[in-house]
Amino acid sequence: MTTNKRQIKMVGFLQAQNCSIAPGSWRHPASATDFLTPEYFQRIGRVLEEGKFHLAFFDDRLAMPDIYQNDHGEAVENGVRVVKMDPVSIITAIAMATRRIGLGITYSTTYYEPFHVARLFATLDLMSKGRAAWNVVTSLNNSEAANFGRTEHLAHDLRYERADEFLEVVQGLWNSWEEDALVVDKASGQFAHANKVHRLSHKGKFFSASGPLPVPRSPQGQPVLIQAGQSGRGRQFAGRWGDLIFVVYPTLEAGKRQYAAVKQEVEAAGRNPDDVAICPACYVCVGETQAIAEEKREYIRALAKPIDALVLLSEALNFDFGSKSMDDEFTDAELETLSWTGFRERVVELSGKANPTVRDFVYFSGRGTIGEFPIFCGTPTAVADQMEEWFTERACDGFVLAATHTPGAFEDFTRMVVPELQRRGLYHKDYPGTTLRDSLGLAVPSRSA
Ligand SMILES: Cc1cc2nc3c(=O)[nH]c(=O)nc-3n(C[C@H](O)[C@H](O)[C@H](O)COP(=O)(O)O)c2cc1C
């Protein structure tokens, strides 16, 4: 049954390790340990699909987190998001074990070439029968640069300039084949119409690619695009390209303000804001009673180690947090160099200090702990109340659910919260069609769009 009522979009936030974005999650006694096998990820995919999640999404980084003390030792010893298997193979394994859930992976516009990415996602869209999504990132740090033959990471705004051109080339390649180009007529011997398969002949500032793409048009026409830019330039990029926009909002009030600002950016790019879903990251701790839920939350909180935060802050901000003591302030010049500007701005705003200390970054960002995102905690009714408030007060169109442990957190959500959201009419009871675009209510883009 379909409904025109606005409904929550749900994304499962995954890592290609046995943890969620909170590294302490791998230390949880209920976390599965067979994460170097396809079965581990297929199990998660099935749970998410049972919960009718719109998307299973893997983030990515093209290096170990080794900026802290200029070494990977602490990250490896403590398992601080140190394993990052290739997400294409993993999402393909999940695709084979599921039928409807969307399949999103992260690819960098700074370290890959548009032809490679266009071919990969068009093929993934075909092999998954229209369920592919690409999280477009510009990457964050010098360790990634060092793995790709560069000495340092590109400057912030230049990364986005390159990313804009990258997207133009990728979309151009996806549009190489007209919808009815393929014939495959054995009787006449005609495979496809040559005049319906086009070259791109792109020559720009950053890229040249002639095309055509040697992959026929995929079921979604163009795989769904995810973006999470948070700075002024990043938001402008997200507003131009993103179908799904991932964000981090510390509070409901901040969320409402920033949601309106992102929607405005979408409009400024000449697009319909209703076609773009904004989804903040969150955690859910749900239990049969409020006390059980809170006990679960505190148990998980205690699994974080102080080193987790320092390693992950260094990685995300491209700055060695081991080079300063806890109460040293960041100078203006140091703040200027931090890679993730939206992250820096959040810490400056929450701490109320123009020059936060290392301790401020740890405390106010919550990085490496479940305090990094809002935690919806309580009985199924209480959790649904909180999510409903965020959704109906227009702080979001859905959520990116990070797991306190895997797959348990997704199982709890599916078993306890999903039925309550469905009962309230806030969440779909089934997938309305076969593709991710169907689930998200997005039209297939025409070639000329
Ligand atoms: C939910 C979420 C997931 C993200 N996943 C990734 C990722 O997988 N890889 C990455 O390099 N950056 C990731 N980012 C970072 C963003 O792509 C972006 O670089 C960051 O928000 C900084 O924004 P800015 O570039 O506008 O300063 C993520 C951000 C959010 C909010």
PDB file of all heavy atoms in Angstrom, residues 13 57-61 106 135-140 144 156 159-160 227-231 234-235 246-248 281 339-342 400, ligand 1:
ATOM      1  N   PHE A  13      23.881   2.926   9.236  1.00  0.00           N
ATOM      2  CA  PHE A  13      25.248   3.470   9.089  1.00  0.00           C
ATOM      3  C   PHE A  13      26.245   2.345   9.421  1.00  0.00           C
ATOM      4  O   PHE A  13      26.295   1.888  10.560  1.00  0.00           O
ATOM      5  CB  PHE A  13      25.376   4.633  10.072  1.00  0.00           C
ATOM      6  CG  PHE A  13      26.576   5.531   9.889  1.00  0.00           C
ATOM      7  CD1 PHE A  13      26.657   6.716  10.610  1.00  0.00           C
ATOM      8  CD2 PHE A  13      27.605   5.235   9.018  1.00  0.00           C
ATOM      9  CE1 PHE A  13      27.735   7.582  10.471  1.00  0.00           C
ATOM     10  CE2 PHE A  13      28.684   6.080   8.860  1.00  0.00           C
ATOM     11  CZ  PHE A  13      28.751   7.256   9.591  1.00  0.00           C
ATOM     12  N   PHE A  57      24.334   1.694   4.390  1.00  0.00           N
ATOM     13  CA  PHE A  57      25.340   2.652   3.909  1.00  0.00           C
ATOM     14  C   PHE A  57      26.687   2.440   4.597  1.00  0.00           C
ATOM     15  O   PHE A  57      26.765   2.390   5.828  1.00  0.00           O
ATOM     16  CB  PHE A  57      24.813   4.077   4.166  1.00  0.00           C
ATOM     17  CG  PHE A  57      25.897   5.103   4.310  1.00  0.00           C
ATOM     18  CD1 PHE A  57      26.636   5.487   3.202  1.00  0.00           C
ATOM     19  CD2 PHE A  57      26.190   5.685   5.534  1.00  0.00           C
ATOM     20  CE1 PHE A  57      27.657   6.425   3.327  1.00  0.00           C
ATOM     21  CE2 PHE A  57      27.211   6.621   5.672  1.00  0.00           C
ATOM     22  CZ  PHE A  57      27.941   6.989   4.562  1.00  0.00           C
ATOM     23  N   PHE A  58      27.740   2.322   3.792  1.00  0.00           N
ATOM     24  CA  PHE A  58      29.106   2.186   4.325  1.00  0.00           C
ATOM     25  C   PHE A  58      29.873   3.483   4.134  1.00  0.00           C
ATOM     26  O   PHE A  58      29.957   3.996   3.021  1.00  0.00           O
ATOM     27  CB  PHE A  58      29.873   1.088   3.583  1.00  0.00           C
ATOM     28  CG  PHE A  58      29.471  -0.289   4.016  1.00  0.00           C
ATOM     29  CD1 PHE A  58      28.382  -0.919   3.428  1.00  0.00           C
ATOM     30  CD2 PHE A  58      30.168  -0.949   5.012  1.00  0.00           C
ATOM     31  CE1 PHE A  58      27.996  -2.190   3.835  1.00  0.00           C
ATOM     32  CE2 PHE A  58      29.793  -2.214   5.422  1.00  0.00           C
ATOM     33  CZ  PHE A  58      28.704  -2.834   4.835  1.00  0.00           C
ATOM     34  N   ASP A  59      30.460   3.981   5.222  1.00  0.00           N
ATOM     35  CA  ASP A  59      31.375   5.106   5.050  1.00  0.00           C
ATOM     36  C   ASP A  59      32.733   4.548   4.642  1.00  0.00           C
ATOM     37  O   ASP A  59      32.922   3.333   4.537  1.00  0.00           O
ATOM     38  CB  ASP A  59      31.437   5.971   6.314  1.00  0.00           C
ATOM     39  CG  ASP A  59      32.230   5.338   7.450  1.00  0.00           C
ATOM     40  OD1 ASP A  59      32.722   4.203   7.297  1.00  0.00           O
ATOM     41  OD2 ASP A  59      32.373   5.983   8.493  1.00  0.00           O
ATOM     42  N   ASP A  60      33.700   5.413   4.397  1.00  0.00           N
ATOM     43  CA  ASP A  60      35.015   4.924   3.982  1.00  0.00           C
ATOM     44  C   ASP A  60      36.080   5.984   4.209  1.00  0.00           C
ATOM     45  O   ASP A  60      35.781   7.182   4.268  1.00  0.00           O
ATOM     46  CB  ASP A  60      34.999   4.554   2.487  1.00  0.00           C
ATOM     47  CG  ASP A  60      36.158   3.636   2.124  1.00  0.00           C
ATOM     48  OD1 ASP A  60      36.718   2.987   3.035  1.00  0.00           O
ATOM     49  OD2 ASP A  60      36.510   3.554   0.936  1.00  0.00           O
ATOM     50  N   ARG A  61      37.277   5.506   4.354  1.00  0.00           N
ATOM     51  CA  ARG A  61      38.451   6.376   4.447  1.00  0.00           C
ATOM     52  C   ARG A  61      39.565   5.599   3.770  1.00  0.00           C
ATOM     53  O   ARG A  61      39.655   4.385   3.945  1.00  0.00           O
ATOM     54  CB  ARG A  61      38.802   6.640   5.910  1.00  0.00           C
ATOM     55  CG  ARG A  61      39.758   7.772   6.096  1.00  0.00           C
ATOM     56  CD  ARG A  61      39.086   9.124   6.314  1.00  0.00           C
ATOM     57  NE  ARG A  61      38.423   9.213   7.589  1.00  0.00           N
ATOM     58  CZ  ARG A  61      37.145   9.599   7.736  1.00  0.00           C
ATOM     59  NH1 ARG A  61      36.417   9.897   6.701  1.00  0.00           N
ATOM     60  NH2 ARG A  61      36.606   9.679   8.925  1.00  0.00           N
ATOM     61  N   THR A 106      30.748   4.687  -0.170  1.00  0.00           N
ATOM     62  CA  THR A 106      31.448   5.973  -0.238  1.00  0.00           C
ATOM     63  C   THR A 106      32.589   5.899  -1.242  1.00  0.00           C
ATOM     64  O   THR A 106      33.379   4.943  -1.208  1.00  0.00           O
ATOM     65  CB  THR A 106      32.002   6.287   1.169  1.00  0.00           C
ATOM     66  OG1 THR A 106      30.891   6.388   2.059  1.00  0.00           O
ATOM     67  CG2 THR A 106      32.795   7.578   1.186  1.00  0.00           C
ATOM     68  N   ASN A 135      27.899   7.721  -1.920  1.00  0.00           N
ATOM     69  CA  ASN A 135      28.186   8.820  -0.998  1.00  0.00           C
ATOM     70  C   ASN A 135      29.410   9.555  -1.530  1.00  0.00           C
ATOM     71  O   ASN A 135      30.527   9.031  -1.505  1.00  0.00           O
ATOM     72  CB  ASN A 135      28.454   8.271   0.419  1.00  0.00           C
ATOM     73  CG  ASN A 135      28.804   9.375   1.407  1.00  0.00           C
ATOM     74  OD1 ASN A 135      28.326  10.497   1.283  1.00  0.00           O
ATOM     75  ND2 ASN A 135      29.639   9.051   2.386  1.00  0.00           N
ATOM     76  N   VAL A 136      29.186  10.753  -2.035  1.00  0.00           N
ATOM     77  CA  VAL A 136      30.244  11.519  -2.689  1.00  0.00           C
ATOM     78  C   VAL A 136      31.029  12.271  -1.622  1.00  0.00           C
ATOM     79  O   VAL A 136      30.490  13.161  -0.960  1.00  0.00           O
ATOM     80  CB  VAL A 136      29.627  12.550  -3.661  1.00  0.00           C
ATOM     81  CG1 VAL A 136      30.738  13.274  -4.418  1.00  0.00           C
ATOM     82  CG2 VAL A 136      28.655  11.898  -4.622  1.00  0.00           C
ATOM     83  N   VAL A 137      32.292  11.898  -1.427  1.00  0.00           N
ATOM     84  CA  VAL A 137      33.110  12.618  -0.449  1.00  0.00           C
ATOM     85  C   VAL A 137      34.354  13.183  -1.124  1.00  0.00           C
ATOM     86  O   VAL A 137      34.791  12.690  -2.160  1.00  0.00           O
ATOM     87  CB  VAL A 137      33.538  11.733   0.753  1.00  0.00           C
ATOM     88  CG1 VAL A 137      32.335  11.211   1.499  1.00  0.00           C
ATOM     89  CG2 VAL A 137      34.465  10.602   0.325  1.00  0.00           C
ATOM     90  N   THR A 138      34.905  14.217  -0.495  1.00  0.00           N
ATOM     91  CA  THR A 138      36.136  14.809  -1.032  1.00  0.00           C
ATOM     92  C   THR A 138      37.355  14.367  -0.211  1.00  0.00           C
ATOM     93  O   THR A 138      38.462  14.834  -0.457  1.00  0.00           O
ATOM     94  CB  THR A 138      36.042  16.354  -1.031  1.00  0.00           C
ATOM     95  OG1 THR A 138      35.888  16.799   0.315  1.00  0.00           O
ATOM     96  CG2 THR A 138      34.875  16.849  -1.866  1.00  0.00           C
ATOM     97  N   SER A 139      37.130  13.490   0.776  1.00  0.00           N
ATOM     98  CA  SER A 139      38.175  12.942   1.665  1.00  0.00           C
ATOM     99  C   SER A 139      38.722  14.004   2.619  1.00  0.00           C
ATOM    100  O   SER A 139      38.413  15.184   2.471  1.00  0.00           O
ATOM    101  CB  SER A 139      39.314  12.282   0.900  1.00  0.00           C
ATOM    102  OG  SER A 139      38.783  11.199   0.162  1.00  0.00           O
ATOM    103  N   LEU A 140      39.503  13.520   3.587  1.00  0.00           N
ATOM    104  CA  LEU A 140      39.790  14.406   4.715  1.00  0.00           C
ATOM    105  C   LEU A 140      41.251  14.623   5.078  1.00  0.00           C
ATOM    106  O   LEU A 140      41.585  15.638   5.673  1.00  0.00           O
ATOM    107  CB  LEU A 140      39.056  13.868   5.958  1.00  0.00           C
ATOM    108  CG  LEU A 140      37.528  14.025   5.949  1.00  0.00           C
ATOM    109  CD1 LEU A 140      36.888  13.138   7.010  1.00  0.00           C
ATOM    110  CD2 LEU A 140      37.117  15.462   6.175  1.00  0.00           C
ATOM    111  N   GLU A 144      45.468   9.767   3.531  1.00  0.00           N
ATOM    112  CA  GLU A 144      44.827   9.312   2.295  1.00  0.00           C
ATOM    113  C   GLU A 144      45.659   9.778   1.095  1.00  0.00           C
ATOM    114  O   GLU A 144      45.922   9.008   0.169  1.00  0.00           O
ATOM    115  CB  GLU A 144      43.396   9.861   2.222  1.00  0.00           C
ATOM    116  CG  GLU A 144      42.536   9.371   3.367  1.00  0.00           C
ATOM    117  CD  GLU A 144      41.119   9.957   3.353  1.00  0.00           C
ATOM    118  OE1 GLU A 144      40.965  11.137   3.721  1.00  0.00           O
ATOM    119  OE2 GLU A 144      40.184   9.235   2.979  1.00  0.00           O
ATOM    120  N   HIS A 156      40.627  22.793   0.972  1.00  0.00           N
ATOM    121  CA  HIS A 156      39.197  22.520   1.144  1.00  0.00           C
ATOM    122  C   HIS A 156      38.334  22.918  -0.064  1.00  0.00           C
ATOM    123  O   HIS A 156      37.661  22.081  -0.675  1.00  0.00           O
ATOM    124  CB  HIS A 156      38.721  23.246   2.413  1.00  0.00           C
ATOM    125  CG  HIS A 156      37.317  22.963   2.789  1.00  0.00           C
ATOM    126  ND1 HIS A 156      36.267  23.729   2.345  1.00  0.00           N
ATOM    127  CD2 HIS A 156      36.766  21.988   3.546  1.00  0.00           C
ATOM    128  CE1 HIS A 156      35.134  23.244   2.828  1.00  0.00           C
ATOM    129  NE2 HIS A 156      35.418  22.191   3.568  1.00  0.00           N
ATOM    130  N   ARG A 159      38.972  21.166  -3.326  1.00  0.00           N
ATOM    131  CA  ARG A 159      38.414  19.797  -3.373  1.00  0.00           C
ATOM    132  C   ARG A 159      36.997  19.830  -3.938  1.00  0.00           C
ATOM    133  O   ARG A 159      36.598  18.971  -4.707  1.00  0.00           O
ATOM    134  CB  ARG A 159      38.348  19.196  -1.963  1.00  0.00           C
ATOM    135  CG  ARG A 159      39.652  19.054  -1.237  1.00  0.00           C
ATOM    136  CD  ARG A 159      39.596  17.945  -0.197  1.00  0.00           C
ATOM    137  NE  ARG A 159      38.733  18.163   0.952  1.00  0.00           N
ATOM    138  CZ  ARG A 159      39.113  18.727   2.104  1.00  0.00           C
ATOM    139  NH1 ARG A 159      40.345  19.176   2.239  1.00  0.00           N
ATOM    140  NH2 ARG A 159      38.274  18.823   3.121  1.00  0.00           N
ATOM    141  N   TYR A 160      36.233  20.820  -3.500  1.00  0.00           N
ATOM    142  CA  TYR A 160      34.842  20.892  -3.974  1.00  0.00           C
ATOM    143  C   TYR A 160      34.752  21.350  -5.427  1.00  0.00           C
ATOM    144  O   TYR A 160      33.859  20.931  -6.162  1.00  0.00           O
ATOM    145  CB  TYR A 160      34.006  21.793  -3.051  1.00  0.00           C
ATOM    146  CG  TYR A 160      33.592  21.053  -1.796  1.00  0.00           C
ATOM    147  CD1 TYR A 160      34.140  21.349  -0.559  1.00  0.00           C
ATOM    148  CD2 TYR A 160      32.648  20.019  -1.866  1.00  0.00           C
ATOM    149  CE1 TYR A 160      33.768  20.652   0.585  1.00  0.00           C
ATOM    150  CE2 TYR A 160      32.266  19.316  -0.730  1.00  0.00           C
ATOM    151  CZ  TYR A 160      32.829  19.637   0.498  1.00  0.00           C
ATOM    152  OH  TYR A 160      32.452  18.930   1.617  1.00  0.00           O
ATOM    153  N   GLN A 227      25.336  13.068  -0.049  1.00  0.00           N
ATOM    154  CA  GLN A 227      26.398  14.031   0.244  1.00  0.00           C
ATOM    155  C   GLN A 227      26.302  14.484   1.689  1.00  0.00           C
ATOM    156  O   GLN A 227      25.228  14.449   2.293  1.00  0.00           O
ATOM    157  CB  GLN A 227      26.298  15.236  -0.703  1.00  0.00           C
ATOM    158  CG  GLN A 227      27.644  15.623  -1.318  1.00  0.00           C
ATOM    159  CD  GLN A 227      28.575  16.253  -0.314  1.00  0.00           C
ATOM    160  OE1 GLN A 227      28.186  17.172   0.395  1.00  0.00           O
ATOM    161  NE2 GLN A 227      29.830  15.788  -0.238  1.00  0.00           N
ATOM    162  N   ALA A 228      27.429  14.891   2.271  1.00  0.00           N
ATOM    163  CA  ALA A 228      27.427  15.292   3.682  1.00  0.00           C
ATOM    164  C   ALA A 228      28.274  16.530   3.924  1.00  0.00           C
ATOM    165  O   ALA A 228      28.824  16.703   5.002  1.00  0.00           O
ATOM    166  CB  ALA A 228      27.917  14.133   4.551  1.00  0.00           C
ATOM    167  N   GLY A 229      28.378  17.390   2.930  1.00  0.00           N
ATOM    168  CA  GLY A 229      29.142  18.633   3.106  1.00  0.00           C
ATOM    169  C   GLY A 229      28.478  19.495   4.166  1.00  0.00           C
ATOM    170  O   GLY A 229      27.251  19.613   4.202  1.00  0.00           O
ATOM    171  N   GLN A 230      29.256  20.102   5.038  1.00  0.00           N
ATOM    172  CA  GLN A 230      28.669  20.858   6.149  1.00  0.00           C
ATOM    173  C   GLN A 230      29.115  22.311   6.180  1.00  0.00           C
ATOM    174  O   GLN A 230      28.450  23.155   6.767  1.00  0.00           O
ATOM    175  CB  GLN A 230      29.031  20.179   7.467  1.00  0.00           C
ATOM    176  CG  GLN A 230      28.421  18.790   7.558  1.00  0.00           C
ATOM    177  CD  GLN A 230      28.677  18.140   8.904  1.00  0.00           C
ATOM    178  OE1 GLN A 230      29.788  18.190   9.415  1.00  0.00           O
ATOM    179  NE2 GLN A 230      27.650  17.562   9.472  1.00  0.00           N
ATOM    180  N   SER A 231      30.268  22.598   5.561  1.00  0.00           N
ATOM    181  CA  SER A 231      30.754  23.983   5.525  1.00  0.00           C
ATOM    182  C   SER A 231      29.895  24.750   4.516  1.00  0.00           C
ATOM    183  O   SER A 231      29.074  24.156   3.810  1.00  0.00           O
ATOM    184  CB  SER A 231      32.198  23.976   5.042  1.00  0.00           C
ATOM    185  OG  SER A 231      32.250  23.384   3.755  1.00  0.00           O
ATOM    186  N   GLY A 234      30.695  23.252   1.259  1.00  0.00           N
ATOM    187  CA  GLY A 234      30.210  21.871   1.257  1.00  0.00           C
ATOM    188  C   GLY A 234      28.699  21.815   1.088  1.00  0.00           C
ATOM    189  O   GLY A 234      28.166  20.993   0.335  1.00  0.00           O
ATOM    190  N   ARG A 235      28.003  22.679   1.763  1.00  0.00           N
ATOM    191  CA  ARG A 235      26.534  22.719   1.649  1.00  0.00           C
ATOM    192  C   ARG A 235      26.077  23.100   0.259  1.00  0.00           C
ATOM    193  O   ARG A 235      25.086  22.592  -0.253  1.00  0.00           O
ATOM    194  CB  ARG A 235      25.990  23.767   2.615  1.00  0.00           C
ATOM    195  CG  ARG A 235      25.627  23.201   3.939  1.00  0.00           C
ATOM    196  CD  ARG A 235      24.840  24.250   4.665  1.00  0.00           C
ATOM    197  NE  ARG A 235      24.932  24.039   6.073  1.00  0.00           N
ATOM    198  CZ  ARG A 235      24.575  24.937   6.979  1.00  0.00           C
ATOM    199  NH1 ARG A 235      24.120  26.103   6.604  1.00  0.00           N
ATOM    200  NH2 ARG A 235      24.662  24.648   8.247  1.00  0.00           N
ATOM    201  N   PHE A 246      23.401  13.803   4.420  1.00  0.00           N
ATOM    202  CA  PHE A 246      23.676  13.363   5.791  1.00  0.00           C
ATOM    203  C   PHE A 246      24.266  14.527   6.575  1.00  0.00           C
ATOM    204  O   PHE A 246      25.128  15.260   6.075  1.00  0.00           O
ATOM    205  CB  PHE A 246      24.679  12.202   5.807  1.00  0.00           C
ATOM    206  CG  PHE A 246      24.144  10.933   5.212  1.00  0.00           C
ATOM    207  CD1 PHE A 246      24.988   9.855   4.978  1.00  0.00           C
ATOM    208  CD2 PHE A 246      22.803  10.785   4.889  1.00  0.00           C
ATOM    209  CE1 PHE A 246      24.501   8.678   4.432  1.00  0.00           C
ATOM    210  CE2 PHE A 246      22.303   9.616   4.339  1.00  0.00           C
ATOM    211  CZ  PHE A 246      23.170   8.550   4.107  1.00  0.00           C
ATOM    212  N   VAL A 247      23.812  14.669   7.810  1.00  0.00           N
ATOM    213  CA  VAL A 247      24.250  15.798   8.635  1.00  0.00           C
ATOM    214  C   VAL A 247      24.489  15.330  10.068  1.00  0.00           C
ATOM    215  O   VAL A 247      24.088  14.221  10.446  1.00  0.00           O
ATOM    216  CB  VAL A 247      23.168  16.913   8.648  1.00  0.00           C
ATOM    217  CG1 VAL A 247      23.097  17.627   7.314  1.00  0.00           C
ATOM    218  CG2 VAL A 247      21.816  16.350   9.016  1.00  0.00           C
ATOM    219  N   VAL A 248      25.123  16.202  10.857  1.00  0.00           N
ATOM    220  CA  VAL A 248      25.245  15.958  12.294  1.00  0.00           C
ATOM    221  C   VAL A 248      24.679  17.178  12.997  1.00  0.00           C
ATOM    222  O   VAL A 248      25.197  18.286  12.826  1.00  0.00           O
ATOM    223  CB  VAL A 248      26.722  15.749  12.711  1.00  0.00           C
ATOM    224  CG1 VAL A 248      26.814  15.560  14.221  1.00  0.00           C
ATOM    225  CG2 VAL A 248      27.316  14.549  11.997  1.00  0.00           C
ATOM    226  N   ALA A 281      22.672  11.968  11.703  1.00  0.00           N
ATOM    227  CA  ALA A 281      23.136  10.739  12.341  1.00  0.00           C
ATOM    228  C   ALA A 281      22.600  10.688  13.773  1.00  0.00           C
ATOM    229  O   ALA A 281      22.471  11.723  14.430  1.00  0.00           O
ATOM    230  CB  ALA A 281      24.654  10.712  12.339  1.00  0.00           C
ATOM    231  N   SER A 339      40.810  20.047   8.777  1.00  0.00           N
ATOM    232  CA  SER A 339      40.269  19.619   7.491  1.00  0.00           C
ATOM    233  C   SER A 339      38.747  19.708   7.410  1.00  0.00           C
ATOM    234  O   SER A 339      38.183  20.096   6.397  1.00  0.00           O
ATOM    235  CB  SER A 339      40.724  18.174   7.245  1.00  0.00           C
ATOM    236  OG  SER A 339      40.210  17.685   6.056  1.00  0.00           O
ATOM    237  N   TRP A 340      38.051  19.343   8.478  1.00  0.00           N
ATOM    238  CA  TRP A 340      36.589  19.222   8.442  1.00  0.00           C
ATOM    239  C   TRP A 340      36.034  20.489   9.086  1.00  0.00           C
ATOM    240  O   TRP A 340      35.911  20.571  10.310  1.00  0.00           O
ATOM    241  CB  TRP A 340      36.198  17.961   9.200  1.00  0.00           C
ATOM    242  CG  TRP A 340      34.761  17.602   9.236  1.00  0.00           C
ATOM    243  CD1 TRP A 340      33.687  18.421   9.173  1.00  0.00           C
ATOM    244  CD2 TRP A 340      34.228  16.276   9.379  1.00  0.00           C
ATOM    245  NE1 TRP A 340      32.515  17.695   9.259  1.00  0.00           N
ATOM    246  CE2 TRP A 340      32.822  16.378   9.378  1.00  0.00           C
ATOM    247  CE3 TRP A 340      34.802  15.011   9.511  1.00  0.00           C
ATOM    248  CZ2 TRP A 340      31.992  15.270   9.512  1.00  0.00           C
ATOM    249  CZ3 TRP A 340      33.976  13.905   9.650  1.00  0.00           C
ATOM    250  CH2 TRP A 340      32.586  14.026   9.635  1.00  0.00           C
ATOM    251  N   THR A 341      35.739  21.475   8.269  1.00  0.00           N
ATOM    252  CA  THR A 341      35.427  22.799   8.827  1.00  0.00           C
ATOM    253  C   THR A 341      34.099  22.805   9.592  1.00  0.00           C
ATOM    254  O   THR A 341      33.978  23.471  10.612  1.00  0.00           O
ATOM    255  CB  THR A 341      35.427  23.878   7.736  1.00  0.00           C
ATOM    256  OG1 THR A 341      34.579  23.458   6.695  1.00  0.00           O
ATOM    257  CG2 THR A 341      36.794  24.139   7.187  1.00  0.00           C
ATOM    258  N   GLY A 342      33.110  22.059   9.102  1.00  0.00           N
ATOM    259  CA  GLY A 342      31.813  22.004   9.800  1.00  0.00           C
ATOM    260  C   GLY A 342      31.973  21.436  11.204  1.00  0.00           C
ATOM    261  O   GLY A 342      31.307  21.846  12.159  1.00  0.00           O
ATOM    262  N   VAL A 400      20.102   8.685  10.004  1.00  0.00           N
ATOM    263  CA  VAL A 400      21.202   7.759   9.733  1.00  0.00           C
ATOM    264  C   VAL A 400      21.500   7.088  11.071  1.00  0.00           C
ATOM    265  O   VAL A 400      22.066   7.716  11.971  1.00  0.00           O
ATOM    266  CB  VAL A 400      22.443   8.512   9.216  1.00  0.00           C
ATOM    267  CG1 VAL A 400      23.568   7.529   8.926  1.00  0.00           C
ATOM    268  CG2 VAL A 400      22.114   9.315   7.965  1.00  0.00           C
TER     269      VAL A 400
HETATM  270  C1  LIG B   1      26.992  10.865   8.352  1.00  0.00           C
HETATM  271  C2  LIG B   1      28.277  11.294   7.708  1.00  0.00           C
HETATM  272  C3  LIG B   1      29.062  10.349   7.039  1.00  0.00           C
HETATM  273  C4  LIG B   1      30.266  10.719   6.429  1.00  0.00           C
HETATM  274  N1  LIG B   1      31.012   9.774   5.795  1.00  0.00           N
HETATM  275  C5  LIG B   1      32.217  10.113   5.276  1.00  0.00           C
HETATM  276  C6  LIG B   1      33.039   9.125   4.671  1.00  0.00           C
HETATM  277  O1  LIG B   1      32.673   7.964   4.584  1.00  0.00           O
HETATM  278  N2  LIG B   1      34.246   9.497   4.181  1.00  0.00           N
HETATM  279  C7  LIG B   1      34.690  10.793   4.229  1.00  0.00           C
HETATM  280  O2  LIG B   1      35.796  11.069   3.759  1.00  0.00           O
HETATM  281  N3  LIG B   1      33.926  11.762   4.784  1.00  0.00           N
HETATM  282  C8  LIG B   1      32.709  11.440   5.320  1.00  0.00           C
HETATM  283  N4  LIG B   1      31.948  12.397   5.919  1.00  0.00           N
HETATM  284  C9  LIG B   1      32.463  13.781   5.911  1.00  0.00           C
HETATM  285  C10 LIG B   1      31.800  14.632   4.838  1.00  0.00           C
HETATM  286  O3  LIG B   1      31.905  14.046   3.565  1.00  0.00           O
HETATM  287  C11 LIG B   1      32.412  16.027   4.804  1.00  0.00           C
HETATM  288  O4  LIG B   1      33.749  15.989   4.419  1.00  0.00           O
HETATM  289  C12 LIG B   1      32.356  16.637   6.154  1.00  0.00           C
HETATM  290  O5  LIG B   1      31.021  16.678   6.583  1.00  0.00           O
HETATM  291  C13 LIG B   1      32.988  18.008   6.142  1.00  0.00           C
HETATM  292  O6  LIG B   1      32.217  18.914   5.457  1.00  0.00           O
HETATM  293  P1  LIG B   1      32.937  20.058   4.674  1.00  0.00           P
HETATM  294  O7  LIG B   1      33.792  19.338   3.661  1.00  0.00           O
HETATM  295  O8  LIG B   1      31.851  20.847   4.009  1.00  0.00           O
HETATM  296  O9  LIG B   1      33.769  20.833   5.631  1.00  0.00           O
HETATM  297  C14 LIG B   1      30.721  12.070   6.514  1.00  0.00           C
HETATM  298  C15 LIG B   1      29.938  13.012   7.182  1.00  0.00           C
HETATM  299  C16 LIG B   1      28.738  12.646   7.784  1.00  0.00           C
HETATM  300  C17 LIG B   1      27.936  13.692   8.490  1.00  0.00           C
END
